[in-house]
mmCIF file of all heavy atoms in Angstrom:
data_model
loop_
_atom_site.group_PDB
_atom_site.id
_atom_site.type_symbol
_atom_site.label_atom_id
_atom_site.label_comp_id
_atom_site.label_asym_id
_atom_site.label_seq_id
_atom_site.Cartn_x
_atom_site.Cartn_y
_atom_site.Cartn_z
ATOM 1 N N GLU A 272 -6.236 2.669 -8.767
ATOM 2 C CA GLU A 272 -5.215 2.592 -7.813
ATOM 3 C C GLU A 272 -5.597 1.616 -6.650
ATOM 4 O O GLU A 272 -4.902 0.811 -6.118
ATOM 5 C CB GLU A 272 -4.811 3.846 -7.223
ATOM 6 C CG GLU A 272 -3.851 3.827 -6.077
ATOM 7 C CD GLU A 272 -2.424 3.450 -6.442
ATOM 8 O OE1 GLU A 272 -2.071 3.305 -7.611
ATOM 9 O OE2 GLU A 272 -1.575 3.248 -5.545
ATOM 10 N N LEU A 273 -6.871 1.715 -6.293
ATOM 11 C CA LEU A 273 -7.286 0.896 -5.101
ATOM 12 C C LEU A 273 -7.793 -0.415 -5.399
ATOM 13 O O LEU A 273 -7.712 -1.399 -4.531
ATOM 14 C CB LEU A 273 -8.465 1.731 -4.352
ATOM 15 C CG LEU A 273 -8.077 3.126 -3.793
ATOM 16 C CD1 LEU A 273 -9.280 3.745 -3.198
ATOM 17 C CD2 LEU A 273 -6.966 2.916 -2.768
ATOM 18 N N PHE A 274 -8.326 -0.673 -6.605
ATOM 19 C CA PHE A 274 -8.992 -1.890 -6.859
ATOM 20 C C PHE A 274 -8.364 -2.805 -7.878
ATOM 21 O O PHE A 274 -8.997 -3.753 -8.362
ATOM 22 C CB PHE A 274 -10.527 -1.638 -7.287
ATOM 23 C CG PHE A 274 -11.285 -1.077 -6.228
ATOM 24 C CD1 PHE A 274 -11.580 0.331 -6.166
ATOM 25 C CD2 PHE A 274 -11.782 -1.869 -5.138
ATOM 26 C CE1 PHE A 274 -12.263 0.906 -5.158
ATOM 27 C CE2 PHE A 274 -12.473 -1.194 -4.034
ATOM 28 C CZ PHE A 274 -12.755 0.049 -4.080
ATOM 29 N N THR A 275 -7.186 -2.533 -8.231
ATOM 30 C CA THR A 275 -6.339 -3.386 -9.057
ATOM 31 C C THR A 275 -5.141 -3.796 -8.383
ATOM 32 O O THR A 275 -4.539 -2.971 -7.519
ATOM 33 C CB THR A 275 -6.034 -2.812 -10.420
ATOM 34 O OG1 THR A 275 -5.268 -1.636 -10.301
ATOM 35 C CG2 THR A 275 -7.273 -2.474 -11.230
ATOM 36 N N ARG A 276 -4.588 -4.922 -8.560
ATOM 37 C CA ARG A 276 -3.446 -5.403 -7.779
ATOM 38 C C ARG A 276 -2.158 -4.596 -7.907
ATOM 39 O O ARG A 276 -1.467 -4.356 -7.007
ATOM 40 C CB ARG A 276 -3.116 -6.917 -8.263
ATOM 41 C CG ARG A 276 -2.044 -7.539 -7.359
ATOM 42 C CD ARG A 276 -2.050 -9.039 -7.392
ATOM 43 N NE ARG A 276 -3.268 -9.561 -6.695
ATOM 44 C CZ ARG A 276 -4.209 -10.268 -7.257
ATOM 45 N NH1 ARG A 276 -4.171 -10.543 -8.544
ATOM 46 N NH2 ARG A 276 -5.226 -10.686 -6.589
ATOM 47 N N ASP A 277 -1.901 -4.127 -9.144
ATOM 48 C CA ASP A 277 -0.616 -3.324 -9.320
ATOM 49 C C ASP A 277 -0.884 -1.848 -9.388
ATOM 50 O O ASP A 277 0.054 -0.991 -9.478
ATOM 51 C CB ASP A 277 0.029 -3.716 -10.645
ATOM 52 C CG ASP A 277 0.540 -5.162 -10.492
ATOM 53 O OD1 ASP A 277 1.087 -5.486 -9.527
ATOM 54 O OD2 ASP A 277 0.321 -5.931 -11.497
ATOM 55 N N GLY A 278 -2.060 -1.410 -9.239
ATOM 56 C CA GLY A 278 -2.381 0.054 -9.076
ATOM 57 C C GLY A 278 -2.089 0.891 -10.282
ATOM 58 O O GLY A 278 -1.922 0.332 -11.446
ATOM 59 N N LEU A 279 -1.997 2.206 -10.101
ATOM 60 C CA LEU A 279 -1.818 3.148 -11.244
ATOM 61 C C LEU A 279 -0.716 4.087 -10.892
ATOM 62 O O LEU A 279 0.162 4.224 -11.754
ATOM 63 C CB LEU A 279 -3.139 3.909 -11.436
ATOM 64 C CG LEU A 279 -3.075 5.033 -12.546
ATOM 65 C CD1 LEU A 279 -2.937 4.355 -13.948
ATOM 66 C CD2 LEU A 279 -4.207 5.871 -12.463
ATOM 67 N N GLY A 280 -0.635 4.625 -9.740
ATOM 68 C CA GLY A 280 0.333 5.662 -9.392
ATOM 69 C C GLY A 280 1.506 5.052 -8.568
ATOM 70 O O GLY A 280 1.963 4.005 -8.908
ATOM 71 N N THR A 281 1.734 5.631 -7.414
ATOM 72 C CA THR A 281 2.875 5.145 -6.434
ATOM 73 C C THR A 281 2.191 4.977 -5.125
ATOM 74 O O THR A 281 1.496 5.836 -4.608
ATOM 75 C CB THR A 281 3.986 6.183 -6.464
ATOM 76 O OG1 THR A 281 4.602 6.310 -7.709
ATOM 77 C CG2 THR A 281 5.154 5.679 -5.483
ATOM 78 N N MET A 282 2.561 3.867 -4.488
ATOM 79 C CA MET A 282 2.181 3.549 -3.154
ATOM 80 C C MET A 282 3.418 3.571 -2.257
ATOM 81 O O MET A 282 4.387 2.881 -2.530
ATOM 82 C CB MET A 282 1.481 2.296 -3.073
ATOM 83 C CG MET A 282 0.918 2.004 -1.684
ATOM 84 S SD MET A 282 0.222 0.291 -1.514
ATOM 85 C CE MET A 282 1.742 -0.631 -1.476
ATOM 86 N N ILE A 283 3.286 4.322 -1.194
ATOM 87 C CA ILE A 283 4.310 4.350 -0.098
ATOM 88 C C ILE A 283 3.719 3.597 1.064
ATOM 89 O O ILE A 283 2.797 4.070 1.544
ATOM 90 C CB ILE A 283 4.749 5.774 0.306
ATOM 91 C CG1 ILE A 283 5.251 6.484 -0.960
ATOM 92 C CG2 ILE A 283 5.884 5.759 1.327
ATOM 93 C CD1 ILE A 283 4.314 7.484 -1.509
ATOM 94 N N SER A 284 4.445 2.568 1.544
ATOM 95 C CA SER A 284 3.915 1.746 2.591
ATOM 96 C C SER A 284 4.735 1.799 3.867
ATOM 97 O O SER A 284 5.988 1.851 3.770
ATOM 98 C CB SER A 284 3.700 0.366 2.177
ATOM 99 O OG SER A 284 4.877 -0.240 1.796
ATOM 100 N N ARG A 285 4.088 1.719 5.015
ATOM 101 C CA ARG A 285 4.825 1.729 6.257
ATOM 102 C C ARG A 285 5.592 0.299 6.469
ATOM 103 O O ARG A 285 6.691 0.320 6.938
ATOM 104 C CB ARG A 285 3.804 1.896 7.451
ATOM 105 C CG ARG A 285 4.479 1.909 8.806
ATOM 106 C CD ARG A 285 3.441 2.533 9.774
ATOM 107 N NE ARG A 285 2.170 1.835 9.860
ATOM 108 C CZ ARG A 285 1.904 0.995 10.802
ATOM 109 N NH1 ARG A 285 2.777 0.748 11.829
ATOM 110 N NH2 ARG A 285 0.733 0.328 10.822
ATOM 111 N N ASP A 286 4.877 -0.688 5.990
ATOM 112 C CA ASP A 286 5.506 -2.078 6.010
ATOM 113 C C ASP A 286 5.731 -2.465 4.574
ATOM 114 O O ASP A 286 5.113 -2.018 3.671
ATOM 115 C CB ASP A 286 4.584 -3.015 6.724
ATOM 116 C CG ASP A 286 4.434 -2.614 8.134
ATOM 117 O OD1 ASP A 286 5.379 -2.304 8.863
ATOM 118 O OD2 ASP A 286 3.186 -2.579 8.582
ATOM 119 N N PRO A 287 6.485 -3.591 4.347
ATOM 120 C CA PRO A 287 6.674 -4.069 2.963
ATOM 121 C C PRO A 287 5.305 -4.370 2.343
ATOM 122 O O PRO A 287 4.387 -4.828 2.997
ATOM 123 C CB PRO A 287 7.502 -5.267 3.087
ATOM 124 C CG PRO A 287 8.289 -5.014 4.423
ATOM 125 C CD PRO A 287 7.330 -4.278 5.293
ATOM 126 N N PHE A 288 5.186 -4.072 1.034
ATOM 127 C CA PHE A 288 3.892 -4.306 0.298
ATOM 128 C C PHE A 288 3.478 -5.882 0.368
ATOM 129 O O PHE A 288 2.306 -6.187 0.472
ATOM 130 C CB PHE A 288 4.030 -3.902 -1.121
ATOM 131 C CG PHE A 288 2.873 -4.016 -2.007
ATOM 132 C CD1 PHE A 288 1.762 -3.120 -1.685
ATOM 133 C CD2 PHE A 288 2.761 -4.769 -2.998
ATOM 134 C CE1 PHE A 288 0.682 -3.111 -2.456
ATOM 135 C CE2 PHE A 288 1.694 -4.882 -3.816
ATOM 136 C CZ PHE A 288 0.597 -4.107 -3.560
ATOM 137 N N GLU A 289 4.497 -6.651 0.288
ATOM 138 C CA GLU A 289 4.130 -8.125 0.327
ATOM 139 C C GLU A 289 5.044 -8.673 1.456
ATOM 140 O O GLU A 289 6.209 -8.250 1.607
ATOM 141 C CB GLU A 289 4.437 -8.817 -0.944
ATOM 142 C CG GLU A 289 5.790 -8.409 -1.554
ATOM 143 C CD GLU A 289 5.875 -8.892 -2.946
ATOM 144 O OE1 GLU A 289 4.940 -8.583 -3.799
ATOM 145 O OE2 GLU A 289 6.875 -9.540 -3.304
ATOM 146 N N HIS A 290 4.487 -9.555 2.311
ATOM 147 C CA HIS A 290 5.326 -9.961 3.456
ATOM 148 C C HIS A 290 5.273 -11.440 3.635
ATOM 149 O O HIS A 290 4.314 -12.110 3.064
ATOM 150 C CB HIS A 290 4.877 -9.314 4.679
ATOM 151 C CG HIS A 290 3.360 -9.545 4.973
ATOM 152 N ND1 HIS A 290 2.305 -8.942 4.437
ATOM 153 C CD2 HIS A 290 2.861 -10.441 5.897
ATOM 154 C CE1 HIS A 290 1.173 -9.411 4.930
ATOM 155 N NE2 HIS A 290 1.521 -10.355 5.823
ATOM 156 N N LEU A 291 6.207 -11.945 4.357
ATOM 157 C CA LEU A 291 6.252 -13.366 4.711
ATOM 158 C C LEU A 291 5.661 -13.612 6.078
ATOM 159 O O LEU A 291 5.789 -12.777 6.922
ATOM 160 C CB LEU A 291 7.748 -13.890 4.634
ATOM 161 C CG LEU A 291 8.477 -13.823 3.315
ATOM 162 C CD1 LEU A 291 9.943 -14.110 3.619
ATOM 163 C CD2 LEU A 291 7.850 -14.806 2.349
ATOM 164 N N ARG A 292 4.943 -14.663 6.124
ATOM 165 C CA ARG A 292 4.386 -15.055 7.490
ATOM 166 C C ARG A 292 4.064 -16.487 7.517
ATOM 167 O O ARG A 292 4.108 -17.208 6.446
ATOM 168 C CB ARG A 292 3.054 -14.110 7.704
ATOM 169 C CG ARG A 292 2.025 -14.422 6.665
ATOM 170 C CD ARG A 292 0.693 -13.887 7.070
ATOM 171 N NE ARG A 292 -0.340 -13.948 6.102
ATOM 172 C CZ ARG A 292 -1.052 -15.084 5.820
ATOM 173 N NH1 ARG A 292 -0.867 -16.244 6.474
ATOM 174 N NH2 ARG A 292 -1.996 -15.082 4.867
ATOM 175 N N GLY A 293 3.847 -17.052 8.701
ATOM 176 C CA GLY A 293 3.450 -18.375 8.816
ATOM 177 C C GLY A 293 2.130 -18.633 8.167
ATOM 178 O O GLY A 293 1.230 -17.760 8.331
ATOM 179 N N ALA A 294 1.941 -19.733 7.557
ATOM 180 C CA ALA A 294 0.606 -20.121 6.900
ATOM 181 C C ALA A 294 -0.439 -20.436 7.918
ATOM 182 O O ALA A 294 -0.141 -20.921 9.029
ATOM 183 C CB ALA A 294 0.778 -21.172 5.903
ATOM 184 N N ARG A 295 -1.584 -20.196 7.624
ATOM 185 C CA ARG A 295 -2.908 -20.544 8.426
ATOM 186 C C ARG A 295 -3.738 -21.505 7.574
ATOM 187 O O ARG A 295 -3.654 -21.563 6.423
ATOM 188 C CB ARG A 295 -3.536 -19.224 8.835
ATOM 189 C CG ARG A 295 -2.713 -18.222 9.633
ATOM 190 C CD ARG A 295 -3.533 -17.020 10.071
ATOM 191 N NE ARG A 295 -3.830 -16.160 8.970
ATOM 192 C CZ ARG A 295 -3.279 -15.048 8.646
ATOM 193 N NH1 ARG A 295 -2.238 -14.705 9.374
ATOM 194 N NH2 ARG A 295 -3.661 -14.257 7.665
ATOM 195 N N LEU A 296 -4.745 -22.105 8.343
ATOM 196 C CA LEU A 296 -5.626 -23.057 7.642
ATOM 197 C C LEU A 296 -6.397 -22.339 6.528
ATOM 198 O O LEU A 296 -6.581 -22.941 5.533
ATOM 199 C CB LEU A 296 -6.612 -23.623 8.661
ATOM 200 C CG LEU A 296 -5.936 -24.691 9.611
ATOM 201 C CD1 LEU A 296 -6.993 -24.988 10.679
ATOM 202 C CD2 LEU A 296 -5.526 -25.815 8.803
ATOM 203 N N GLU A 297 -6.683 -20.982 6.719
ATOM 204 C CA GLU A 297 -7.398 -20.334 5.693
ATOM 205 C C GLU A 297 -6.651 -20.037 4.447
ATOM 206 O O GLU A 297 -7.163 -19.588 3.328
ATOM 207 C CB GLU A 297 -8.102 -19.028 6.186
ATOM 208 C CG GLU A 297 -7.006 -18.127 6.890
ATOM 209 C CD GLU A 297 -6.955 -18.240 8.311
ATOM 210 O OE1 GLU A 297 -7.146 -19.352 8.793
ATOM 211 O OE2 GLU A 297 -6.708 -17.189 8.950
ATOM 212 N N ASP A 298 -5.220 -20.284 4.469
ATOM 213 C CA ASP A 298 -4.456 -20.138 3.330
ATOM 214 C C ASP A 298 -4.435 -21.285 2.387
ATOM 215 O O ASP A 298 -3.861 -21.248 1.337
ATOM 216 C CB ASP A 298 -2.973 -19.829 3.781
ATOM 217 C CG ASP A 298 -2.865 -18.500 4.596
ATOM 218 O OD1 ASP A 298 -3.693 -17.551 4.241
ATOM 219 O OD2 ASP A 298 -2.036 -18.400 5.548
ATOM 220 N N ILE A 299 -5.016 -22.440 2.855
ATOM 221 C CA ILE A 299 -4.827 -23.669 2.165
ATOM 222 C C ILE A 299 -5.413 -23.595 0.691
ATOM 223 O O ILE A 299 -4.677 -24.044 -0.255
ATOM 224 C CB ILE A 299 -5.455 -24.835 2.870
ATOM 225 C CG1 ILE A 299 -4.648 -25.302 4.000
ATOM 226 C CG2 ILE A 299 -5.673 -26.058 1.968
ATOM 227 C CD1 ILE A 299 -5.177 -26.333 4.978
ATOM 228 N N PRO A 300 -6.638 -23.018 0.430
ATOM 229 C CA PRO A 300 -6.972 -22.836 -0.916
ATOM 230 C C PRO A 300 -6.040 -21.986 -1.782
ATOM 231 O O PRO A 300 -5.742 -22.397 -2.953
ATOM 232 C CB PRO A 300 -8.334 -22.034 -0.845
ATOM 233 C CG PRO A 300 -8.810 -22.372 0.535
ATOM 234 C CD PRO A 300 -7.581 -22.500 1.369
ATOM 235 N N GLY A 301 -5.416 -20.982 -1.301
ATOM 236 C CA GLY A 301 -4.437 -20.278 -1.983
ATOM 237 C C GLY A 301 -3.177 -20.942 -2.278
ATOM 238 O O GLY A 301 -2.571 -20.927 -3.362
ATOM 239 N N ILE A 302 -2.709 -21.787 -1.252
ATOM 240 C CA ILE A 302 -1.679 -22.628 -1.445
ATOM 241 C C ILE A 302 -1.776 -23.734 -2.595
ATOM 242 O O ILE A 302 -0.971 -23.956 -3.448
ATOM 243 C CB ILE A 302 -1.135 -23.305 -0.136
ATOM 244 C CG1 ILE A 302 -0.648 -22.278 0.802
ATOM 245 C CG2 ILE A 302 -0.062 -24.282 -0.399
ATOM 246 C CD1 ILE A 302 -0.398 -22.765 2.227
ATOM 247 N N LEU A 303 -2.991 -24.319 -2.507
ATOM 248 C CA LEU A 303 -3.345 -25.403 -3.475
ATOM 249 C C LEU A 303 -3.396 -24.770 -4.858
ATOM 250 O O LEU A 303 -2.884 -25.427 -5.875
ATOM 251 C CB LEU A 303 -4.689 -25.992 -3.100
ATOM 252 C CG LEU A 303 -4.719 -27.003 -1.878
ATOM 253 C CD1 LEU A 303 -6.139 -27.326 -1.544
ATOM 254 C CD2 LEU A 303 -3.903 -28.250 -2.257
ATOM 255 N N ALA A 304 -3.955 -23.649 -5.001
ATOM 256 C CA ALA A 304 -3.970 -23.019 -6.384
ATOM 257 C C ALA A 304 -2.606 -22.639 -6.906
ATOM 258 O O ALA A 304 -2.418 -22.746 -8.052
ATOM 259 C CB ALA A 304 -4.777 -21.671 -6.279
ATOM 260 N N LEU A 305 -1.684 -22.395 -5.976
ATOM 261 C CA LEU A 305 -0.314 -22.189 -6.300
ATOM 262 C C LEU A 305 0.426 -23.359 -6.797
ATOM 263 O O LEU A 305 1.200 -23.375 -7.721
ATOM 264 C CB LEU A 305 0.377 -21.433 -5.148
ATOM 265 C CG LEU A 305 1.767 -20.788 -5.396
ATOM 266 C CD1 LEU A 305 1.699 -19.731 -6.429
ATOM 267 C CD2 LEU A 305 2.279 -20.275 -4.082
ATOM 268 N N ILE A 306 0.256 -24.464 -6.038
ATOM 269 C CA ILE A 306 1.106 -25.609 -6.242
ATOM 270 C C ILE A 306 0.582 -26.616 -7.137
ATOM 271 O O ILE A 306 1.303 -27.513 -7.765
ATOM 272 C CB ILE A 306 1.486 -26.387 -4.845
ATOM 273 C CG1 ILE A 306 0.245 -26.999 -4.245
ATOM 274 C CG2 ILE A 306 2.121 -25.340 -4.000
ATOM 275 C CD1 ILE A 306 0.446 -27.761 -2.942
ATOM 276 N N ARG A 307 -0.719 -26.606 -7.469
ATOM 277 C CA ARG A 307 -1.385 -27.674 -8.308
ATOM 278 C C ARG A 307 -0.821 -27.675 -9.668
ATOM 279 O O ARG A 307 -0.432 -28.794 -10.249
ATOM 280 C CB ARG A 307 -2.876 -27.454 -8.431
ATOM 281 C CG ARG A 307 -3.567 -27.980 -7.160
ATOM 282 C CD ARG A 307 -3.519 -29.498 -6.969
ATOM 283 N NE ARG A 307 -4.308 -30.035 -5.848
ATOM 284 C CZ ARG A 307 -3.876 -30.424 -4.693
ATOM 285 N NH1 ARG A 307 -2.534 -30.632 -4.560
ATOM 286 N NH2 ARG A 307 -4.731 -30.987 -3.822
#
Side-chain angles (χ1 to χ4, degrees):
E272 175 69 7
L273 295 178
F274 295 102
T275 61
R276 184 160 290 119
D277 294 314
L279 176 71
T281 298
M282 184 187 74
I283 301 104
S284 58
R285 185 163 58 102
D286 299 311
F288 185 65
E289 48 196 48
H290 62 278
L291 294 172
R292 60 169 174 80
R295 302 184 288 260
L296 286 173
E297 55 265 33
D298 297 323
I299 288 178
I302 294 173
L303 286 171
L305 189 64
I306 67 177
R307 283 296 186 245

